[in-house]
Amino acid sequence: MFHLGWFLPGWGIQNSVFNGWTPSLSGAWAGSHEREWMRPDLYVDLATALERGGFDFLLLEDTSQVDNTFRGSTEASLRLGLFAPKNDPLPLVPLLAARTRHLGIVPTLSSSFYPPYLAARLLTTLDHISEGRVGYNV
């Protein structure tokens, strides 16, 4: 069986400029991701479109860093919006689950910042809310 998944990196300006391996979403979804990345409508529109398209899951990437590999400084990453700022993917899960019926939702959860009990309890709650459609990207 063939399964389709969509990897959603943190939305900043980086999608339309630097990361050739991620699709440019500029103009493809509700609003403008360069200016409205924090609005839930953008994510809900993406999730409902993926479900209509027959996708099996949406993986919500998360990182807790601002890249400093270009000339040893975070200046370029912050100026261009590369992977920062971004939303925490966990609060988006109930919003996406409420607007879809079959799409799996796979948030990234850092084991560095979520102790095991908290992570297990949170993911269990989200799994119940979504009727079994939540995954876990470590």
Side-chain angles (χ1 to χ4, degrees):
M1 180 173 278
F2 186 76
H3 292 280
L4 289 172
W6 187 275
F7 174 75
L8 180 65
W11 280 1
I13 298 171
Q14 88 278 0
N15 288 324
S16 60
V17 179
F18 285 96
N19 293 339
W21 50 269
T22 57
S24 173
L25 298 175
S26 181
W29 313 106
S32 168
H33 68 277
E34 285 94 354
R35 292 184 308 276
E36 300 179 16
W37 58 267
M38 75 294 287
R39 295 181 50 89
D41 303 1
L42 188 64
Y43 301 92
V44 169
D45 189 45
L46 172 63
T48 56
L50 291 175
E51 187 165 72
R52 283 192 313 269
F55 278 75
D56 295 298
F57 68 92
L58 168 61
L59 192 150
L60 302 164
E61 175 269 345
D62 193 23
T63 58
S64 57
Q65 69 178 27
V66 177
D67 187 53
N68 67 348
T69 55
F70 183 69
R71 296 184 180 166
S73 169
T74 60
E75 190 265 326
S77 293
L78 293 173
R79 182 173 44 84
L80 297 171
L82 303 175
F83 298 103
K86 65 173 68 177
N87 287 320
D88 183 324
L90 295 176
L92 296 171
V93 173
L95 297 171
L96 303 180
R99 296 290 300 271
T100 59
R101 291 288 154 240
H102 306 289
L103 185 70
I105 304 164
V106 184
T108 299
L109 194 73
S110 172
S111 59
S112 298
F113 301 107
Y114 286 90
Y117 173 80
L118 178 61
R121 185 171 188 229
L122 181 57
L123 288 167
T124 299
T125 300
L126 292 174
D127 195 51
H128 289 303
I129 288 171
S130 69
E131 299 176 341
R133 295 185 291 128
V134 168
Y136 171 35
N137 180 41
V138 180

